[in-house]
Amino acid sequence: MGKYIVGIDLGGTSAKMAIASPDGQLKYKWTIGTEIHQEGQLIVPAIIQSIKRSLAEHDLTDQDIIGIGMGTPGAVDVKAKTVIGAYNLNWKTTQDLGQQFGQAFDIPFFVDNDANVAALGEQWLGAGNGAENVVMVTLGTGIGGGVVINGQLYRGSGAAGEIGHMTIEDHTDIHCTCGKKGCFEALASANGIVRLAKEMVDQDEGNIDHSEFYEKVVQDQTFTSFDIFEAAKASDGFASQVVDKVAYYIGLGVSHIANILNPSAIVLGGGMAGAGEFLREKVDAYYREFTYQQIRETTQIVLAQLGNDAGVIGAVNLINTEIK
């Protein structure tokens, strides 16, 4: 009878891995680089070899492991255990992860999209505080999401949780990478806030603050979402207006989720959530404007708590939810 679970959080730069107890205690953690050359064909073999080494180092065999859980970018077929479209991994064709892990280990293997898996982590041991109904919104380079209902990932017909592609503004020329205009991701992600700042300058009708940061944008200087938040925290007028607009979009987006699903918590994670309470409070104020009274009294907007461990902890919980 196995007593540990292996969790894998695969990203474009690195693969984080852990050997954990079923209750989520990370006994051993390690990271390897993600080798994306040769169309990413070296990625999975490197992960497999790394796990084999770690098991051997800790005197563990396949029989000691309950399961291997994995979160990965891309479109995942959880039944076939395949993934396609993970372009940051250079995976242009379907990758049969189930077959590769099945050949390497006599251990059950399960895989899901990385945003879904992170949501399972935060729902279980993070900001979700073990509540059965939790939604996670990851505010990073793009916007992703994961929906947990009754303690299980909700996958719909296979692509549920594409939160970033809700249309939240139909009067904009800002295009999303998916081809539509006005997507949540296009307007409120880390890339979106940079585009939004530039659009606000281009469409200036005299109603925005010509502050120091405004001049930086006018002069086409390089800046990031982090720079915008830092300037806003320092009371720069224009940066504060940009952050307020983004908080409006995020508040509007999460209000739609809350009004439909009424989870216990909507967890804000990802790089932009690093702005902390400064952003959460502004989002929450708009969220409350757009939600039904009973919804806003029962669905809380909270910040993610697990940081870089969300993915591996979620991968551990994936095994708990798949193996009864």
Side-chain angles (χ1 to χ4, degrees):
M1 183 70 179
K3 54 187 177 181
Y4 296 109
I5 294 171
V6 175
I8 308 165
D9 177 19
L10 177 58
T13 303
S14 65
K16 303 177 186 68
M17 288 174 273
I19 297 172
S21 59
D23 63 359
Q25 294 184 50
L26 304 182
K27 303 294 187 181
Y28 314 107
K29 294 196 299 181
W30 71 98
T31 301
I32 64 171
T34 304
E35 178 54 75
I36 65 171
H37 301 297
Q38 299 182 34
E39 295 190 350
Q41 296 308 298
L42 303 178
I43 295 173
V44 175
I47 290 172
I48 288 171
Q49 287 305 119
S50 183
I51 293 171
K52 284 182 175 291
R53 280 197 301 272
S54 187
L55 293 179
E57 287 171 5
H58 297 102
D59 296 321
L60 298 172
T61 67
D62 287 10
Q63 286 67 46
D64 294 310
I65 306 301
I66 299 168
I68 299 173
M70 182 177 188
T72 176
V76 178
D77 183 326
V78 296
K79 292 183 179 178
K81 301 177 183 177
T82 60
V83 60
I84 192 169
Y87 299 110
N88 61 337
L89 301 177
N90 207 16
W91 284 351
K92 301 172 184 176
T93 59
T94 299
Q95 307 294 307
D96 194 337
L97 304 187
Q99 181 185 48
Q100 293 181 74
F101 277 87
Q103 290 175 345
F105 301 101
D106 184 23
I107 301 171
F109 171 78
F110 294 91
V111 61
D112 210 316
N113 174 265
D114 52 359
N116 281 349
V117 170
L120 270 181
E122 286 290 345
Q123 174 266 333
W124 185 34
L125 296 179
N129 200 30
E132 289 199 330
N133 302 306
V134 173
V135 176
M136 184 170 181
V137 178
T138 54
L139 304 167
T141 305
I143 292 181
V147 180
V148 181
I149 297 177
N150 296 328
Q152 300 284 326
L153 278 170
Y154 179 72
R155 301 184 177 98
S157 297
E162 288 293 345
I163 291 165
H165 299 291
M166 294 188 295
T167 299
I168 59 171
E169 175 63 83
D170 60 354
H171 298 292
T172 180
D173 289 327
I174 295 181
H175 282 80
C176 182
T177 53
C178 75
K180 297 198 295 106
K181 294 180 182 179
C183 283
F184 193 10
E185 175 174 304
L187 295 165
S189 65
N191 286 341
I193 190 174
V194 171
R195 286 194 296 267
L196 183 63
K198 293 177 180 178
E199 183 186 62
M200 288 173 66
V201 167
D202 291 342
Q203 297 180 358
D204 182 10
E205 296 177 351
N207 59 345
I208 58 177
D209 193 317
H210 290 199
S211 64
E212 182 179 345
F213 200 85
Y214 173 91
E215 293 302 326
K216 185 173 186 174
V217 179
V218 169
Q219 294 167 17
D220 202 26
Q221 296 182 32
T222 301
F223 62 95
T224 66
S225 60
F226 177 81
D227 298 326
I228 296 172
F229 280 109
E230 288 301 294
K233 289 178 181 178
S235 301
D236 180 276
F238 175 61
S240 296
Q241 288 176 305
V242 175
V243 169
D244 185 71
K245 187 67 171 178
V246 165
Y248 162 82
Y249 284 135
I250 298 173
L252 179 61
V254 298
S255 76
H256 295 331
I257 298 166
N259 281 328
I260 295 168
L261 296 176
N262 188 206
S264 299
I266 295 178
V267 181
L268 303 182
M272 273 177 57
E277 281 296 312
F278 179 76
L279 176 62
R280 193 207 67 82
E281 289 180 357
K282 296 177 187 298
V283 169
D284 190 66
Y286 282 115
Y287 157 77
R288 292 179 176 278
E289 283 188 29
F290 301 131
T291 43
Y292 182 59
Q293 181 178 345
Q294 288 176 301
I295 298 293
R296 61 177 175 266
E297 290 174 355
T298 53
T299 296
Q300 305 300 313
I301 307 301
V302 298
L303 294 170
Q305 295 178 354
L306 297 180
N308 289 333
D309 287 338
V312 289
I313 290 174
V316 171
N317 198 24
L318 181 65
I319 297 303
N320 286 332
T321 60
E322 294 290 348
I323 298 178
K324 301 299 183 181

